[in-house]
Amino acid sequence: MHRIIAKEQLSDEVFRFVVEAPLIARERRPGQFVILQLDSDYGERIPLTIADADAEAGTITLIFQTVGKTTHLLAERQVGDEIRHILGPLGKPTHIERFGTVVCVGGGIGAAPLYPIAQAMKQAGNRLIVILGARTHGLLILEKEMQAIADELLICTDDGSYGEKGLVTEPLRRLCAGAKPDLVVAIGPPIMMKACAEVTREFNVPIVVSLNTIMVDGTGMCGGCRVTVGKETKFVCVDGPEFDGHLVDFDNMMLRMRAYKEIEEKAHQEYHCRLNPELNRLRQYENT
Ligand SMILES: Cc1cc2nc3c(=O)[nH]c(=O)nc-3n(C[C@H](O)[C@H](O)[C@H](O)COP(=O)(O)OP(=O)(O)OC[C@H]3O[C@@H](n4cnc5c(N)ncnc54)[C@H](O)[C@@H]3O)c2cc1C
Ligand code: FES
């Protein structure tokens, strides 16, 4: 069991939890993630990036967006409550070195997994430029934290409510067309990572993306997180989550991510429909 030590709401849909997990806190490195399960052994298992960790306090930080049933249930938890299972650290750590100038691009909740990577890139002596994008100002997260570590911070919102109006690819294109960066790291929705990969390809700038496929076991056994990278089949949980963005087949990835859409929507609707007595009875049974 893992106790929730702190809870903070960062935006309309985003929460930051600090959770007890001493062994994971000690071992984790930037780019790695955990798979958590809220209650019963039959509940959904969801992957979340370790946004930060304190090895001395034995805690990890998770930043998540409420999108479906499990993330909504997680957001209801309070300080002192427990999460039954947390598995990790999983995935290969980010390759960190002194590349020169590194541009880190975060779209929406992608800023959360990006933060530990940006921090490590800065600590390795890189000049760090961060581009943060969100649909609207209320959904922008980690601005202060990124400001504290970046040499330059550029902000875009789709609706122009804050920063530059437009998509993250616009400042990225300007940077690539100017004094070319040595590396781009992009994390966000698949469509955004695909667009960033197209821009960097044009300018021959290397790009690393962190893929957020559906995951089940997180050990390379179930095949749920399968992606095609450079015409080879890879498992995001054990071969990734980071890959060369120029080699990822994003269209195939997006197609596979839509596979459970109907079931996910049903679970989400049922979550919002708590007056249904049969459902409540089943949920109580599941939690015993
Ligand atoms: C390695 C990895 C690290 C991740 N790190 C974070 C993180 O730090 N913070 C965070 O908020 N999210 C992160 N995600 C995404 C997170 O796992 C999903 O948002 C979560 O599983 C959704 O669960 P749910 O039951 O609430 O919603 P579901 O009902 O399962 O899904 C609801 C909606 O979200 C979409 N969705 C489902 N799974 C994903 C996914 N993996 N990525 C993108 N969209 C998805 C579905 O298409 C659907 O539209 C990460 C994913 C991976 C693979
Ligand atoms: S989550 Fe099962 S193989 Fe990766």
Side-chain angles (χ1 to χ4, degrees):
M1 290 279 197
H2 303 269
R3 207 153 47 91
I4 298 165
I5 304 293
K7 173 181 179 178
E8 189 186 348
Q9 186 157 2
L10 298 185
S11 81
D12 298 349
E13 296 173 0
V14 179
F15 294 82
R16 171 158 44 202
F17 277 22
V18 178
V19 183
E20 267 175 1
L23 298 179
I24 301 174
R26 209 176 58 201
E27 297 299 323
R28 77 95 206 195
R29 283 159 62 198
Q32 291 189 299
F33 64 95
V34 292
I35 289 193
L36 65 82
Q37 205 170 12
L38 282 181
D39 291 308
S40 85
D41 289 340
Y42 304 103
E44 191 184 31
R45 310 171 84 230
I46 64 161
L48 293 177
T49 303
I50 306 165
D52 208 348
D54 183 335
E56 251 173 55
T59 58
I60 57 169
T61 301
L62 304 173
I63 299 179
F64 64 94
Q65 184 167 22
T66 51
V67 291
K69 181 185 163 195
T70 306
T71 44
H72 275 98
L73 286 173
L74 183 60
E76 283 179 3
R77 296 282 156 109
Q78 304 300 336
V79 171
D81 290 348
E82 291 183 317
I83 297 170
R84 184 176 282 192
H85 302 294
I86 302 186
L87 172 70
L90 297 170
K92 290 191 174 155
T94 309
H95 174 73
I96 304 287
E97 66 171 65
R98 188 173 179 161
F99 293 97
T101 298
V102 176
V103 178
C104 284
V105 193
I109 188 67
L114 187 69
Y115 179 63
I117 298 170
Q119 241 181 344
M121 288 294 184
K122 181 66 195 167
Q123 276 161 13
N126 291 290
R127 177 174 148 70
L128 176 68
I129 304 177
V130 176
I131 305 175
L132 287 184
R135 269 181 280 139
T136 187
H137 190 187
L139 295 176
L140 190 77
I141 57 164
L142 299 182
E143 180 187 356
K144 259 196 332 244
E145 288 83 349
M146 290 293 195
Q147 183 86 66
I149 57 169
D151 294 289
E152 204 179 326
L153 174 66
L154 305 163
I155 292 181
C156 313
T157 48
D158 296 6
D159 63 0
S161 52
Y162 191 58
E164 179 178 339
K165 184 177 189 318
L167 304 173
V168 288
T169 38
E170 287 160 32
L172 179 63
R173 174 177 295 281
R174 286 199 303 270
L175 289 169
C176 289
K180 254 205 233 178
D182 298 285
L183 179 71
V184 172
V185 181
I187 312 184
I191 192 75
M192 167 240 155
M193 292 190 282
K194 180 184 177 195
C196 289
E198 277 161 12
V199 168
T200 50
R201 195 193 313 275
E202 251 180 70
F203 295 93
N204 208 16
V205 170
I207 181 168
V208 170
V209 293
S210 180
L211 301 184
N212 50 359
T213 52
I214 284 159
M215 284 192 187
V216 185
D217 64 332
T219 64
M221 302 282 281
C222 72
C225 65
R226 202 165 67 234
V227 282
T228 307
V229 182
K231 300 206 167 64
E232 279 180 47
T233 298
K234 297 278 180 192
F235 296 121
V236 173
C237 63
V238 288
D239 299 319
E242 287 162 23
F243 295 97
D244 178 341
H246 292 153
L247 299 180
V248 173
D249 183 341
F250 284 103
D251 293 336
N252 181 264
M253 174 182 157
M254 287 188 270
L255 198 68
R256 281 181 55 76
M257 284 178 73
R258 282 198 288 272
Y260 300 103
K261 195 97 190 155
E262 243 174 67
I263 303 169
E264 282 162 353
E265 271 168 12
K266 191 160 169 265
H268 194 185
Q269 268 169 19
E270 285 171 356
Y271 160 80
H272 284 293
C273 190
R274 290 170 178 206
L275 295 177
N276 183 332
E278 180 62 12
L279 257 180
N280 284 338
R281 195 182 60 75
L282 281 174
R283 209 166 275 138
Q284 274 169 8
Y285 175 73
E286 198 185 270
N287 288 335
T288 54

